[in-house]
Amino acid sequence: MAVLERDRTTRTHARASRATGPGLALAGVATLVWSGSFVASRALHDSVPPVQAAFWRWVIALVAVAPFAARETWRQRALIRRHFGFVLLAALLGVTVYNTLVNQAGLSTSAGNMGMIMAASPVLMAVYERLGGARLGARRTTGMLVACAGVLLLMSKGSLVPDFAAGDLWMVAAAVSFASYSALLRRRPAGLGGLAFLFTTFALGALMLAPVYGVSLAAQGGFAATPGTVGPLVYVGVLSSAVAFFAWNKAIALIGAARAGVVYYLQPVCVALLSYALLGEATGVAGLVSMGLILGGVVVGSRR
């Protein structure tokens, strides 16, 4: 009996080890692509109202995933109806609320700050996992704390007192919404395919945004369809939504939200580099030091 138990444990550890590499790679892809979405949201802040940007993002995402997901979604319609409450909550947190808050934050804070604050969400992911009974381990906890110290240094720009704008507070709310969505993914019903789940949450998220979109259209008017508005919307709709969400959801299925969250700490580094290259937002000495801490924390925390 003891031998069988040891064999099962060994096989479980072997499967977990084989999943680590692909899981970390997928989390890295999602993090890199999402970093660009903060720059895109910031670029749209003075041309597209936040709710309208969020609505069109998910309409574009639906069109992008429909050829690959529509058939699977139809086959699993009974399973989706059975777990409709779960799917609706996931759509509310990860689609409707999170991205609208990100767009709202882009009105009054920099892309760099948006990425820095979102890097706090892995702490909440780890807390959710710990409350669920998971053991984080000393190595992962140490990596998380080191990376978190880098985020705090980056936010404060080397000062003891961070200077928060209104957009920073919107991003705090967005971080809570995204962490809750990521923790919820661990409860995804068995048998519900990744593409069917994405397609359904995208559709429900867009439907929940539709009434607010109508109000925004009536109160603020529409926006001009120019390369400067359509290009960022296509990016966030196709890459940041269809590609990144699929990669992130798969990463969590392979390695869990806490470990994927450690990789997510790379986001402020990516955002800082992209915002400097595309928007001219400079990073000082404190930013470089904090990037080193973030990268070091990711390396320590992502190892088994």
Side-chain angles (χ1 to χ4, degrees), residues 30-288:
T31 298
L32 179 60
V33 174
W34 275 331
S35 299
S37 71
F38 291 125
V39 178
S41 295
R42 180 61 177 162
L44 292 171
H45 79 280
D46 59 353
S47 56
V48 183
V51 171
Q52 295 183 36
F55 176 78
W56 282 109
R57 168 180 182 159
W58 298 113
V59 170
I60 293 170
L62 271 174
V63 173
V65 302
F68 311 100
R71 184 175 298 179
E72 179 180 302
T73 304
W74 178 253
R75 285 200 306 266
Q76 297 192 324
R77 61 190 183 279
L79 182 61
I80 293 169
R81 281 199 301 269
R82 195 177 314 133
H83 298 282
F84 185 75
F86 168 85
V87 179
L88 184 66
L89 181 58
L92 177 66
L93 292 172
V95 176
T96 304
V97 174
Y98 165 62
N99 291 281
T100 305
L101 290 174
V102 170
N103 293 336
Q104 183 67 36
L107 296 177
S108 53
T109 192
S110 67
N113 272 18
M114 292 165 71
M116 296 171 210
I117 295 169
M118 270 306 297
S121 59
V123 177
L124 296 172
M125 295 177 205
V127 170
Y128 282 135
E129 282 209 8
R130 186 66 186 90
L131 291 175
R135 294 182 61 185
L136 301 180
R139 186 187 298 274
R140 197 183 309 174
T141 302
T142 300
M144 183 179 71
L145 292 175
V146 171
C148 189
V151 170
L152 292 175
L153 179 63
L154 198 59
M155 288 175 61
S156 65
K157 299 180 178 63
S159 171
L160 296 177
V161 182
D163 182 19
F164 289 110
D168 296 333
L169 299 179
W170 286 114
M171 280 307 302
V172 171
V176 173
S177 180
F178 180 73
S180 302
Y181 167 80
S182 297
L184 188 67
L185 290 179
R186 294 295 283 177
R187 299 179 179 273
R188 194 174 84 188
L192 180 56
L195 287 173
F197 176 74
L198 279 188
F199 186 78
T200 306
T201 53
F202 289 179
L204 289 174
L207 283 175
M208 286 186 279
L209 278 169
V212 191
Y213 172 79
V215 172
S216 173
L217 204 60
Q220 300 171 294
F223 61 90
T226 66
T229 57
V230 174
L233 286 175
V234 170
Y235 176 89
V236 296
V238 176
L239 294 179
S240 296
S241 301
V243 175
F245 268 81
F246 180 82
W248 182 255
N249 294 355
K250 184 66 174 177
I252 287 179
L254 290 172
I255 60 176
R259 176 162 287 183
V262 173
V263 179
Y264 195 76
Y265 275 118
L266 289 171
Q267 183 164 262
V269 179
C270 297
V271 173
L273 295 174
L274 288 172
S275 62
Y276 174 75
L278 300 176
L279 302 177
E281 296 178 356
T283 300
V285 175
L288 295 176

Side-chain angles (χ1 to χ4, degrees), residues 13-24:
H13 287 168
R15 285 194 297 268
S17 297
R18 287 195 297 270
T20 297
L24 293 175

